[in-house]
Amino acid sequence: MQRRHAVVAGAGIGGLTAAIALHRRGWRVTVCERAPEPPGTGAGIGLAPNALRALDTIGVDAARAAGSAVPATMGVRRSDGRWLTRAETSYMAARYGMPPIAVPRPAFTAALAAALPPEALRYGTTVTGVDDATGRPTVRTAEGPDLPADLVVAADGIHSPLRRAYFPDHPGLHYIGETAWRTLVDAPDLRIPSMSETWGRGERFGVTPLADGRYYLYATAVVPAGARPADARAELSRRFGSWHDPIPALLDRVGRFDPADVLQNDLYDLAAPLPRLHHGRIAWIGDAAHAMAPNLGQGGCQAIEDAVVLAHLLPAGGTGDTGHTGDTGGRADSGDAVPTALAAYTAARRGRTDAVRLRARRVGRLGALRNPLAATARDLAVRATPNRLALRGMDDLFNGFRLPG
C-alpha cells in the first residue's frame, strides 16, 4: 500500500502540528523550513484550553512535552498596579475542563519536531513556489530537488509568499499601529504568581510566569511602523520603568546578557479575510491564512486548531492506488478526496478564524487608547464588569474548538 505525501511549508507551531496530525493519519510528510536549524531562542506562548483540547485529539501533551506553568490568577491591571479584572485559573479549569498554560516557544517547537520522523524535517530548505498547473502540485525549493505531493500545507507565516502568489488581488496586511517587544528573563527569586497585562495610554506590558523560573515578557507601544530604538532595553525602561511592581525588577534583567534576546516586531493582521483557505490541493493555515493581532493570545492557538481540523477532514494517508509515481513523487490517484476535504476545511475554519481576527483587532484598539479621558472610561468600564461575567465572554473562544462531523 502506497502513502499519500504532504509537503508542509514552514516549521512553526502550525506547520509542525499539521505535520504530526497528518503523520499520525498515515501520511508521508516533508516539512520544509527556510531557517537553517530549529530556533534556539525566542519568547513564550500561551496555550488556551481550545488549543490544548485540539492537541489532545492528536495525542500531544503540551505540558509534558515542553514544561508549563499555571499561574494562580490572570487579569488586567492599570499602570499603578490596580487590578481592573482578575480571574482565578482554578475557576477557568472548572469552567473549561483545563486551565490555560504557558510554555517557552523554543521548547514547544522542539517537542513538536521530536514527534516527527527525523527524515521529515528539512531545515535550510526554502519553498519558492508550487506548480499545480496539472492539478497535481509540485513544490519548488531553492535548494532542490522538486517535491511532488498530494497536498501542500502553506504554513509559511504572516508574510506568506504562497498567499501572495495565489491571492494576488487580496489587500494583504494591515498595520495595527503598534510595535511589540518580547523576551524571556530569568528571575526565579521574584515568585510572581499571576499572569497579567497592564494597560497604560497607548502602551501595554505583559508578564507570564513559566515553569522553569523564567518569565515571558511582552510590551507594546503605539508608534509608526519601522521605528527601532537603538537600545531596546533603555526604551523599555523609559516607557515602563515607573510602572507598578514587579515590572521595574523584571526590566532590570532584560537583555542583561545579550541585547539581541529582545525581539521587536511591528504588529500586523490580515486586512480582510481570504476568499477561501484552499486552492486545489493547497491549504493555508495559521498566520498565512488569517494573521491576527496577539491581543487575545489566539494566533498560535488558531493555527493549532487549523492543523488538527485539516488533518481530521483529509482521507487517511494509505492508499491502494496502482498509479503511484514512486517514492520521489506524489500519488497519481484520480479521485477528488483531497480537494473535497480542503473545501470542507475552508467551510469549517474560515468563519471562526475571521471572527477571532476581528475580535483581536477590537480588543487591541481598547488597549492602545491614548486619549486620557477615553482610557479612563475604558478602565472604569472594565472594572465595573464582574470578573466571572467577563470570563464568560471567552466561552466562544475557549470552548469553541470542534472537530467537524
Side-chain angles (χ1 to χ4, degrees):
M1 179 176 285
Q2 305 294 345
R3 298 169 68 197
R4 290 182 171 93
H5 180 213
V7 176
V8 180
I13 288 172
L16 290 172
T17 303
I20 294 169
L22 288 166
H23 170 65
R24 293 182 177 178
R25 281 188 57 74
W27 286 67
R28 183 166 64 90
V29 179
T30 302
V31 181
C32 298
E33 168 55 48
R34 66 182 179 180
E37 58 187 13
T41 61
I45 181 171
L47 297 175
N50 55 303
L52 295 173
R53 196 168 291 115
L55 289 168
D56 185 61
T57 66
I58 60 170
V60 173
D61 185 334
R64 176 173 293 182
S68 68
V70 179
T73 59
M74 301 174 61
V76 177
R77 308 176 78 170
R78 300 192 319 188
S79 59
D80 61 5
R82 186 175 186 181
W83 289 95
L84 299 176
T85 183
R86 179 166 46 172
E88 295 181 1
T89 51
S90 59
Y91 175 74
M92 298 179 70
R95 186 172 187 84
Y96 302 118
M98 61 191 73
I101 66 172
V103 298
R105 186 179 291 262
F108 184 46
T109 54
L112 293 175
L116 291 168
E119 65 273 14
L121 296 164
R122 298 191 182 183
Y123 289 96
T125 302
T126 302
V127 172
T128 58
V130 177
D131 180 0
D132 66 343
T134 65
R136 186 69 50 180
T138 297
V139 177
R140 312 293 186 192
T141 68
E143 295 74 18
D146 294 341
L147 299 168
D150 297 287
L151 167 72
V152 178
V153 180
D156 50 347
I158 188 169
H159 299 289
S160 171
L162 292 177
R163 183 182 66 225
R164 292 197 301 267
Y166 280 89
F167 300 99
D169 297 327
H170 187 271
L173 298 175
H174 156 260
Y175 180 51
I176 293 170
E178 296 177 274
T179 196
W181 295 270
R182 295 173 294 136
T183 192
L184 297 176
V185 299
D186 190 19
D189 54 300
L190 294 182
R191 302 182 184 278
I192 302 168
S194 298
M195 179 188 300
S196 64
E197 182 171 285
T198 301
W199 290 356
R201 297 174 185 171
E203 298 172 328
R204 288 175 288 168
F205 196 98
V207 179
T208 301
L210 301 176
D212 58 6
R214 294 184 296 172
Y215 294 88
Y216 166 42
L217 310 182
Y218 63 89
T220 69
V222 176
V223 298
R228 291 293 183 273
D231 185 332
R233 180 180 181 182
E235 179 71 4
L236 290 171
S237 294
R238 181 183 71 81
R239 289 182 177 274
F240 305 103
S242 63
W243 285 23
H244 66 80
D245 291 333
I247 292 175
L250 290 166
L251 287 174
D252 184 56
R253 306 182 192 206
V254 168
R256 179 175 290 183
F257 301 104
D258 185 353
D261 289 342
V262 180
L263 308 176
Q264 183 180 356
N265 301 97
D266 293 337
L267 298 181
Y268 291 84
D269 66 3
L270 215 58
L274 293 180
R276 60 192 179 278
L277 304 184
H278 75 287
H279 175 91
R281 289 173 175 262
I282 308 171
W284 281 262
I285 69 173
D287 283 346
H290 43 69
M292 60 185 66
N295 304 305
L296 295 173
Q298 280 288 313
C301 295
Q302 291 301 309
I304 290 168
E305 285 192 19
D306 288 345
V308 172
V309 170
L310 175 64
H312 172 75
L313 290 170
L314 283 161
T319 174
D321 294 332
T322 59
H324 193 274
T325 58
D327 290 340
T328 61
R331 187 179 59 87
D333 74 292
S334 59
D336 295 324
V338 170
T340 299
L342 297 195
Y345 164 71
T346 284
R349 295 299 299 159
R350 185 173 178 272
R352 174 165 167 81
T353 55
D354 194 54
V356 177
R357 178 185 68 87
L358 292 174
R359 184 171 175 179
R361 184 184 288 184
R362 290 194 298 269
V363 170
R365 287 171 178 164
L366 281 177
L369 288 173
R370 288 188 290 179
N371 180 280
L373 292 178
T376 298
R378 172 202 66 195
D379 293 351
L380 289 173
V382 172
R383 184 166 175 78
T385 303
N387 292 334
R388 295 199 172 192
L389 181 61
L391 187 58
R392 289 192 195 105
M394 304 299 285
D395 284 357
D396 60 332
L397 286 179
F398 293 168
N399 277 337
F401 169 72
R402 297 288 187 277
L403 286 176

